[in-house]
Structures are given as structure tokens and as C-alpha cells.
Amino acid sequence: MNELTVDEIKSALPDQFKKSINQELIDGINATIVDPEMYENYRDNLMSYTHVLKNGKFKVSSYLDAVRYVSYKLMGCTNIKSYSLTFPDKIDRFNSQGVPAKDIASYVTAYNKSKLVNLILEQTLIPSYILNQDLYQKALNTQAELMMYAKSEKVRSDAANSILTQLKMPEKQQVELEVSVKEDSIIGQLKRQSAELAAQQRTLIESGGANAQEVAHSKIIDADYEVSDD
């Protein structure tokens, strides 16, 4: 079974944390990991989550322990089992001191809720919409079938409404589209009004009501004029 090495761990950590790694620390980790599969998972996780060290003032040893704890949880171990495998010395000390099981469970719960553990756990979560993407598509297919072939008009209507709700454009894009359409509407209105004004001025000049210089210096837009955005 391959064991973790000092160089391997150092290569996974930001520069400011490399000096904290020593052989004694790595030997302690290797001594507690007996499952060959765990080595692969732990190594991969160590490489993946190092950026969480930038989110707080954590010790490297605490990071290594938290990754090991989370790695056991990801393998399906309970919180208490993951804690026992990560901190066997603590569990032995609790037992030798006669610490009640309920108190040990409280310590485990507190550790499971710690900031470092949860920062790492956040990196492991797969969004439910990705995890259940196949079920989402099957649900849409079912609704589409009901919309097309259900005997009840209400069922068809409800299915159609469900599809429209699920496939509607994201709100942000709707807002952008609304702004764009409103701007286009205003610009179009201004263009039409400018064309009408130019036609009126041309007619005025042709009829002799004003000359070109008077038209050029005339007031085009009154101060009280408002453009409707309907």
C-alpha cells in the first residue's frame, strides 16, 4: 500500500503552509489510515480543497484532519465512525476516562459543525438539479405526454402550465429583455417623431411660412415634452 509522503502533501498546499509539514505529522496520518482505498480518496481530496485555507486562520494539521474526516464521510461512514477513524487517540482517551457516549456524540456533533469541516463539505456537494437531471427530464416528458394525450382538459392544462413554469426564461434575462424592448420602443418613437418634424419643417419652408435659417434655429423640443414609454 502506498503511503502519503511529506513531498506529496507539500505539493498540494499553498506556499505559506508548506513549512508546517514534517515527517512526524505524515507518519501520524499514515498510521491511522488502514484502508488502501482511503489513501486514494484522501490524496485526491487533499489536492482538491486546499483553497479553503484562504477562508480562515487554520492550522495545516487541522486541515489534514478535517479532510480525512470528510473523506470518511464521503465513503458512507457515520459522523461518529468518521470521527473515531480520524481521531482514534481522542476516542481511546474518552473511553479510558469514562466519558459518557452522549458527551462523545456532542463533541462529534460540534466538530461536524465546525467552520473548516463545513467549508470542505461545501466543496463536495453536487447540486440536486445536476444529481437528479435524469429525473427532471423524465418528469418533463411525463408532463408533455399528459399535455398532449390526457382525456381531461384540466389535466392537459395543468401539465402545459407546469411545462411553461419549468422552462420559463430566467428572471435576469427577462429583465434584460424588457429593458431592451422598452429602449427599442422609445428609440423607434423618437425616430418617427423626428421624421414627422422634418416633414413639417420642409412643408413650412416650401409654403413660404419660414426660411431655412429660421427653421434651423427654431426650438425643436419643448421643456415640457415627455416621451411616452408605453
Side-chain angles (χ1 to χ4, degrees):
M1 179 175 62
N2 295 327
E3 294 188 344
L4 298 171
T5 67
V6 171
D7 291 340
E8 191 172 27
I9 300 301
K10 282 186 175 181
S11 67
L13 297 173
D15 291 339
Q16 65 268 34
F17 297 101
K18 295 182 187 296
K19 61 182 181 181
S20 302
I21 302 298
N22 55 56
Q23 190 60 52
E24 182 180 0
L25 182 64
I26 301 305
D27 287 343
I29 294 173
N30 285 326
T32 60
I33 302 178
V34 297
D35 185 351
E37 291 296 325
M38 179 58 182
Y39 273 96
E40 296 298 326
N41 291 331
Y42 185 52
R43 182 181 293 109
D44 291 344
N45 292 340
L46 278 176
M47 303 291 183
S48 301
Y49 310 138
T50 54
H51 60 279
V52 305
L53 291 171
K54 300 177 182 178
N55 297 323
K57 295 182 178 180
F58 305 116
K59 296 179 179 179
V60 171
S61 57
S62 298
Y63 169 73
L64 297 177
D65 289 337
V67 171
R68 187 165 26 153
Y69 172 80
V70 171
S71 296
Y72 281 121
K73 282 176 62 71
L74 294 176
M75 293 178 68
C77 296
T78 62
N79 291 349
I80 187 66
K81 180 67 173 178
S82 300
Y83 189 90
S84 299
L85 291 171
T86 302
F87 304 107
D89 292 342
K90 285 187 179 181
I91 295 297
D92 289 342
R93 185 172 71 253
F94 290 153
N95 291 332
S96 65
Q97 294 174 348
V99 177
K102 65 180 182 62
D103 291 343
I104 296 177
S106 297
Y107 299 147
V108 173
T109 298
Y111 183 75
N112 189 65
K113 292 181 179 180
S114 65
K115 179 179 179 179
L116 181 54
V117 167
N118 278 275
L119 283 173
I120 295 172
L121 280 171
E122 286 175 4
Q123 309 306 310
T124 70
L125 297 178
I126 301 175
S128 60
Y129 70 88
I130 294 178
L131 191 62
N132 299 297
Q133 191 172 25
D134 59 328
L135 294 177
Y136 179 82
Q137 187 58 52
K138 288 179 181 178
L140 282 177
N141 292 343
T142 299
Q143 294 286 19
E145 185 175 353
L146 289 172
M147 178 183 69
M148 297 295 294
Y149 304 113
K151 294 180 179 180
S152 168
E153 290 185 358
K154 184 178 187 309
V155 172
R156 291 199 303 273
S157 175
D158 289 346
N161 184 64
S162 175
I163 292 175
L164 289 173
T165 300
Q166 294 300 321
L167 298 181
K168 70 177 181 179
M169 186 182 299
E171 294 297 329
K172 182 178 180 180
Q173 293 185 22
Q174 286 183 337
V175 171
E176 292 175 349
L177 178 60
E178 181 180 347
V179 171
S180 177
V181 169
K182 183 172 289 187
E183 287 180 350
D184 288 345
S185 176
I186 294 173
I187 291 172
Q189 186 176 344
L190 287 173
K191 287 181 177 179
R192 289 193 301 273
Q193 291 173 341
S194 296
E196 291 173 359
L197 179 60
Q200 291 172 1
Q201 291 173 333
R202 185 170 56 251
T203 301
L204 186 62
I205 293 172
E206 292 174 350
S207 65
N211 58 41
Q213 184 176 4
E214 290 173 336
V215 170
H217 291 282
S218 63
K219 194 174 183 180
I220 298 177
I221 300 178
D222 291 334
D224 295 333
Y225 178 79
E226 293 185 359
V227 176
S228 171
D229 58 0
D230 291 338

